[in-house]
């Protein structure tokens, strides 16, 4: 670091910085690269979670490392660090007979499929005669995102 560059403050005395296992309370907004908001806590109750508990994608967690209460950041998140790349193999064509209780089937309908790992949501893309095209990618897969966070508490 050049001598005239001030040091970056990592944590103020008495404050905890975010690290693995920290319990974090924050307000956030997830924005698309064009600024369109897709999710937020800013108009309601803040989110609280423990770093590493699996409730937040790992790339979002790693972007929080070192932040302290009062920090307000806009962090770019690439698809690989967010919800992963969009994969064409996750788009499936299924027989309409697999949807006996889902009426009417139309594009945009979210359907849940039961699997040994739990419910797996899919979005109907198209209905073609006796077939239904379903996208099992996360809706934010393949998207560049902005993680706009305000850290309220770190324990």
């Amino acid at each position: 670091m050049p001598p005239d560059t001030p040091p970056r403050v990592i944590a103020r005395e008495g404050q905890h910085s975010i690290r693995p296992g920290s319990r974090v309370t924050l307000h956030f907004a997830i924005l698309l690269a064009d600024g369109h908001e897709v999710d937020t806590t800013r108009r309601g109750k803040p989110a609280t979670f423990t770093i590493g508990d699996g409730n937040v994608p790992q790339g979002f967690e790693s972007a929080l490392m070192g932040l302290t209460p009062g920090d307000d950041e806009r962090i770019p998140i690439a698809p690989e660090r967010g919800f992963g790349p969009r994969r064409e193999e996750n788009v499936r064509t299924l027989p309409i007979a697999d949807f006996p209780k889902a009426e009417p089937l139309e594009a945009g309908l979210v359907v849940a499929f039961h699997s040994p790992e739990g419910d797996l949501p899919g979005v109907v893309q198209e209905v073609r005669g006796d077939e239904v095209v379903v996208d099992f990618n996360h809706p934010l897969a393949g998207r560049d995102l902005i993680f706009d966070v305000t850290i309220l508490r770190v324990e």
Side-chain angles (χ1 to χ4, degrees):
M1 177 173 4
D4 57 346
T5 302
R8 180 173 179 249
V9 175
I10 301 298
R12 290 169 185 80
E13 189 174 334
Q15 288 186 328
H16 298 287
S17 64
I18 297 174
R19 61 181 188 265
S22 294
R23 184 165 172 81
V24 180
T25 301
L26 54 75
H27 270 298
F28 73 87
I30 297 175
L31 311 169
L32 299 179
D34 66 5
H36 177 81
E37 183 180 273
V38 294
D39 193 13
T40 188
T41 63
R42 294 201 184 273
R43 291 179 289 282
K45 184 178 175 185
T48 299
F49 63 95
T50 300
I51 298 290
D53 68 4
N55 286 315
V56 176
Q58 195 277 328
F60 286 80
E61 286 185 346
S62 62
L64 297 174
M65 292 299 155
L67 297 181
T68 61
D71 286 346
D72 193 12
E73 300 284 337
R74 289 176 65 97
I75 305 163
I77 303 289
E80 307 76 47
R81 294 183 52 222
F83 295 94
R86 189 175 188 303
R87 300 184 188 283
E88 281 306 313
E89 62 268 22
N90 291 342
V91 178
R92 303 289 176 100
T93 301
L94 304 170
I96 202 164
D98 287 355
F99 302 84
K101 296 179 184 176
E103 292 184 48
L105 282 176
E106 57 187 31
L109 179 68
V110 178
V111 291
F113 293 84
H114 302 293
S115 75
E117 295 83 36
D119 283 348
L120 178 64
V123 178
V124 174
Q125 286 191 319
E126 182 181 2
V127 179
R128 299 187 295 225
D130 62 351
E131 295 180 327
V132 180
V133 179
V134 180
D135 185 352
F136 291 100
N137 284 292
H138 187 282
L140 296 176
R143 306 294 293 266
D144 287 311
L145 304 171
I146 299 167
F147 190 34
D148 184 355
V149 297
T150 302
I151 307 302
L152 302 174
R153 186 171 48 245
V154 178
E155 302 170 50

